Structures are given as C-alpha cells and as structure tokens.
Amino acid sequence: MKNFSHPVRAYIVGVVGLFALVGCATVNTAERAQPVGRRQMVDDKRIITDAGLERRVRILGISESSGPGGLLKVQVEVHNSTRSLQRFNYKFEWFDGDGNLISTPTSAFLPREIEGKESLFLSATAPTPQAHDFRLKLLEEVR
Amino acid sequence: MLKHLTIVAQRKLGVCLCAAVVLAGCGTTGSTRVDSSGGRTLTTVGEINMQDWLIAADTMVNSLRDNFINAGKLQTPPNKPALLAISRIVNDTGRHIDSDLLVKKIRIALHQASGGKIVTSTTVGIGGPEDPIAEEEQRRARLEGLDPSRPNYTLSGKIIPQRARAGRTQEFSFVFQLSLTKNPEGFAVWEDERAITKQAKKGAITPW
C-alpha cells in the first residue's frame, strides 16, 4: 500500500496502462444469426510446434468446395485470440492423387496481418485439377 | 596469471580484448543464400521487392483460378487450346521493372489450372516476339498458306505507385491491375486489382 500510494509511481502506472489500452484495438463483427451459406467442413490434422503462434493465430476450421472447372478451393478460418495486431506468414501446398507435391510458381510464404480478436479467412484455389490434398503452413513473422 | 599483472596492465588487456571483439564484429560477414519464396527476403520501401511480386501473383492467380477457370468461363476453339497473348503492362512507377516477374507466373498458372487448355503465344506480344525463331517459323508457315492461330485472349495491365508521408513515416503503395480480354469481341472476361503497401519510419537523424 505504501508503494502504490506514492504519487509518482501511480502516475507511471497510469501512463503505462493508457499506452497499453491505446495499442489494443479489437474487432467487433455482425453477421446473420443463421447463415444461409453452408460450408463443407473437413477434418484436419494439426502439428503444433509453435504454441505461441497457435495462441495468436488459431485455426478454427477448414472448409472446401469445387467449381465447374474442377479445381479444389480451400478456405481456412483463423482467429487472433490476443487483443493486439499480429503478423504472420502462411503458405498453401498442394498434392496430387499419389501424394506428390505439386510445384506452382506462386507457392510461397505470404505475409498477413490480423487485428486483435479478429477472425479472417485464408483461401486458395488448387493449381491443377489433379490436386486433391493440401497443407497449410503458418509461420510467425521472421523479420 | 591475471593476479601477477598490475591494475594498469589488467585494464590495458581488457581494453585490447574489447577492441578485438568489436573489430571482429565489424568485419564483413559474407553472403548467404535465402529462399526466394520464404519470408526472409528483404523488404524495402520505394521499390517492388521479390515478396511483393509473389503477393501480387498469388492474388491474381487465385482470382483467375477461382473466377475464370473454376467458374467455367474459359472458351476454347474446337479441337485446340485457347491462345493467350501478352499485351501492354503499363509501368507508372518511374523505375525500370520487368513485368514478366508477374506475368510469367500468371501464364504458368493459367496453363496448369486449365489442364493445358490455354497456352501462351511466344510470337505475338507487345515489344516483339518473345521467341524470334518461333516467330520466323510462323512467318514461313504463313507464306506456305498455313493459317497460324490468332490470340483468343490477351492479358494487359498497369502498375501504379502511390506515396504518402505523415511526420517521420513514409508509405509506398504499388497497385497491380490486370485484365483478361476475349478476342475478337474485345471485352474483359476477368479483372482484378491488388495493392501492396509498405511503411518505413525515419530515424531522428536518418535522411530518406
């Protein structure tokens, strides 16, 4: 009590708290209570080596669809469970019916930002009609 | 051993050791290769970096796959693939850039995604043929009465820079715009745009 009653310390704590609040803008959302669109969810297998990244950018679910062109489209919903902006990289890899990796010119780690408490979708369309499986890699910002 | 040295000698030895450590750190560190598709390539403002091309290409390629190929909009002539020619990609950045860093990826992706139903002409393009020998062969075929294919689709676009500054923060944006035109009708059957924005904060004593 003696420490916290000191006016200078109380002032410093107040200023630090104010800065912390200013940097923590979070996202509110509104949508249909009963969504009309139906996502076709898929079961997924996760290998977590970075528990911190998993807390900051958490995969909520994976859905897939296909179109007349026969290309598989995948959509992954991720959520930032912290109250601050997070930066991360992501990359989609595609595999054919034999499990072989399909080389594409745009297969690269791409940067993305996600605001505090925001959910967003990472989506990609398969490079060829022969792509049947996929893998999503998430990596924290390395620079 | 240090016990037998005088205080002055110990201090001199300490200074020499510190200087040696500092000089070792200031020496050249050598070069190293990094993965062009990884997240460790350099990011600078004011120019388009490798990762910027990859981001732009990823957006355009996914959009083409989703809204054009997968939507069943590709039209091919009977018994042969559709022919794509690369038209004008306007560079408004004021710097010399090679738009093939983007266009090539799109060509490859279109060919892959369509299962080979769309191919790119290497003899017809803005600035001359990409492959002069192929163009010469095509010219000979024309003289012999054969009718080489005309492009069914053309790809065109623009790269536009935007700049802004607020206080010590400078912001550069590059806006990539692409259109796929159906010929001979002349209307765009696919279009998309992607902006890439980078910011840098100037230090108190660092000039821009």
Side-chain angles (χ1 to χ4, degrees):
Chain A
M1 285 299 294
K2 184 181 175 182
N3 287 339
F4 282 105
S5 66
H6 195 291
V8 174
R9 285 201 181 95
Y11 174 75
I12 291 170
V13 167
V15 168
V16 169
L18 184 64
F19 274 112
L21 283 173
V22 164
C24 293
T26 57
V27 173
N28 293 339
T29 59
E31 57 187 36
R32 277 181 198 268
Q34 305 294 333
V36 171
R38 292 224 166 267
R39 278 183 247 154
Q40 188 177 341
M41 307 303 292
V42 296
D43 294 332
D44 65 86
K45 178 176 73 177
R46 300 178 196 183
I47 299 171
I48 309 294
T49 61
D50 186 339
L53 177 64
E54 208 274 337
R55 277 194 303 275
R56 296 193 299 273
V57 183
R58 178 164 293 152
I59 296 174
L60 296 183
I62 302 176
S63 59
E64 64 178 32
S65 63
S66 62
L71 298 175
L72 180 67
K73 181 173 179 179
V74 170
Q75 191 169 257
V76 181
E77 187 176 11
V78 295
H79 177 71
N80 175 6
S81 54
T82 72
R83 299 184 62 86
S84 55
L85 173 77
Q86 299 294 329
R87 291 189 174 91
F88 65 100
N89 296 297
Y90 74 97
K91 175 180 175 179
F92 278 95
E93 291 178 334
W94 300 91
F95 303 89
D96 63 18
D98 295 323
N100 297 314
L101 178 69
I102 298 172
S103 171
T104 75
T106 56
S107 180
F109 272 107
L110 303 170
R112 194 72 190 260
E113 291 181 346
I114 183 169
E115 297 283 356
K117 299 296 184 184
E118 183 185 13
S119 291
L120 56 79
F121 289 93
L122 306 174
S123 63
T125 304
T128 76
Q130 287 74 41
H132 296 298
D133 284 315
F134 62 92
R135 178 160 60 188
L136 171 67
K137 292 181 174 176
L138 296 171
L139 178 69
E140 67 170 8
E141 193 182 33
V142 291
R143 296 203 61 87
Chain B
M1 187 182 90
L2 285 175
K3 286 183 191 176
H4 299 291
L5 295 174
T6 63
I7 299 283
V8 172
Q10 283 179 19
R11 281 184 185 157
K12 282 183 182 173
L13 180 62
V15 168
C16 287
L17 283 172
C18 285
V21 168
V22 168
L23 283 171
C26 291
T28 54
T29 55
S31 305
T32 185
R33 283 192 177 78
V34 295
D35 184 357
S36 306
S37 63
R40 297 175 196 268
T41 53
L42 291 180
T43 298
T44 59
V45 291
E47 55 191 348
I48 304 176
N49 305 133
M50 178 60 77
Q51 202 168 46
D52 300 329
W53 291 113
L54 288 169
I55 294 167
D58 180 76
T59 298
M60 299 302 181
V61 160
N62 270 300
S63 176
L64 267 168
R65 287 171 186 162
D66 217 16
N67 302 314
F68 181 64
I69 303 288
N70 217 17
K73 292 182 181 174
L74 173 63
Q75 294 176 16
T76 56
N79 302 318
K80 55 181 179 175
L83 187 63
L84 169 72
I86 308 302
S87 188
R88 189 187 313 275
I89 309 288
V90 176
N91 170 19
D92 269 354
T93 66
R95 289 173 175 258
H96 173 71
I97 56 174
D98 193 336
S99 58
D100 269 347
L101 289 168
L102 174 65
V103 169
K104 191 68 161 186
K105 293 176 176 55
I106 291 178
R107 288 166 54 170
I108 295 168
L110 271 176
H111 184 73
Q112 278 184 333
S114 65
K117 290 180 189 169
I118 187 164
V119 294
T120 305
S121 170
T122 57
T123 59
V124 175
I126 291 284
E130 183 182 321
D131 186 344
I133 294 177
E135 196 269 340
E136 175 66 23
E137 291 301 312
Q138 197 174 56
R139 201 171 56 81
R140 284 185 188 178
R142 206 178 282 121
L143 289 171
E144 291 170 9
L146 295 171
D147 184 20
S149 301
R150 301 298 301 164
N152 307 105
Y153 294 95
T154 47
L155 186 71
S156 60
K158 206 172 187 182
I159 303 172
I160 307 166
Q162 291 283 293
R163 294 182 179 86
R165 182 185 284 185
R168 298 217 308 260
T169 300
Q170 195 166 20
E171 182 179 278
F172 280 85
S173 295
F174 292 99
V175 182
F176 296 84
Q177 297 176 337
L178 285 178
S179 299
L180 187 70
T181 302
K182 179 77 176 62
N183 296 310
E185 293 87 338
F187 48 76
V189 292
W190 169 84
E191 292 183 287
D192 212 328
E193 177 183 278
R194 172 69 192 254
I196 294 168
T197 301
K198 296 180 281 189
Q199 287 182 347
K201 198 168 267 188
K202 178 183 152 187
I205 56 172
T206 306
W208 283 114

